[in-house]
Amino acid sequence: MRILVTGGAGFIGSCVADTLIGAGHDVRILDVLLPAAHPAYPSGRPGYSADLDLRVADVRDRSAVATALSGVEAVVHQAAMVGLGTGATDLPDYVGINDLGTAVLLEAMADAGVGRLVVAGSMVVYGEGRYLCRRHGAVRPGPREEADLAAGVFEPRCPHCAALLTPGAVEEDAPLDPRNVYAATKVAQEHLASAWARMTGGAAIALRYHNVYGPRMPRDTPYAGVASLFRSALERGIAPRVFEDGGQRRDFVHVADVAEANRAALAATDRPGFRAYNVASGQVHTVGEMARALADALGGPEPVVTGEYRLGDVRHVTASPDRAAAELGFRARWDFEAGMKEFAAAPLRG
């Protein structure tokens, strides 16, 4: 199958492209090579994939997207601006790249008669994860109050009785509750993909990635993942700075597993309609545990728990991987401890 991978020169996209090539697919890549995510390559282009058909263009460029779709049977849409960014000045770029870019792509797919789509979603669409209150059962806490955060009270409270809550694993049918601009754009991407599937009779699958780590992560940018930031600090002999109390619960999933989830999802796009899946390991670890695992693997200084916080961050979000296992036949293979040891020595970008 000939597949267009948007953002296919990036961290996750390049691993997806390599996995699809390894599975025998003919892969074409569309990537604008944003400086925030890509260093200045000596050759002018990255060389991750053995058979790299790279079109350097913006996903918002209608003409370039239409040309890249020529002869394509399916699209794996990874192109996006990620992370919390640097402030309000990032707002137009997040909305433009993530949402307008997706709309341009979907329009071009409809014109070209391409009816199979896998889109990179994110756990951020859930906001806070699943919580239980002893008195009120399953509840959806609102955004944490800045006064609580400043006082070191990081756990969300029950919206009915203000009691502290017990976190659990979120499933795909949970209400979407974006807590920052990036999250809002990822929700919009899913809605656009769902509307496109209804309008065209196409098949769209959104893969809600949890905390992805692994080789080729970008280093030292405002858009890098926390695992990359911690590792970069340790390589400089600096203790990782862990926000809040380090107890934030996350699901860390290796990029090789994410790439395999994309391959499995692509095989399921023979069924029309829209469907979302968590892409997660099913293993719960805290941000503090991840920092310590990297420090141990690199022999670096112990992490420093700072008590600092960022408005818009969520406290806990971990996922059930059961739907992906049952419907896509996908389960993550990488164990947390082995993955962190591998990541500590893996090449980064930048």
Side-chain angles (χ1 to χ4, degrees), residues 49-125:
S49 300
D51 301 309
L52 192 66
D53 176 7
L54 173 63
R55 315 289 176 93
V56 180
D58 194 310
V59 74
R60 293 168 289 185
D61 183 333
R62 287 174 170 83
S63 176
V65 172
T67 300
L69 284 168
S70 177
V72 163
E73 300 166 76
V75 174
V76 177
H77 183 33
Q78 305 289 319
M81 188 171 178
V82 302
L84 284 181
T86 59
T89 55
D90 278 338
L91 278 163
D93 285 337
Y94 273 110
V95 175
I97 293 171
N98 296 356
D99 296 340
L100 177 58
T102 298
V104 169
L105 173 67
L106 294 174
E107 176 195 32
M109 289 177 65
D111 288 345
V114 180
R116 302 172 70 151
L117 172 69
V118 176
V119 60
S122 174
M123 63 162 189
V124 297
V125 300

Side-chain angles (χ1 to χ4, degrees), residues 287-301:
V287 173
E289 287 171 347
M290 187 265 287
R292 286 192 293 274
L294 286 176
D296 290 345
L298 287 163

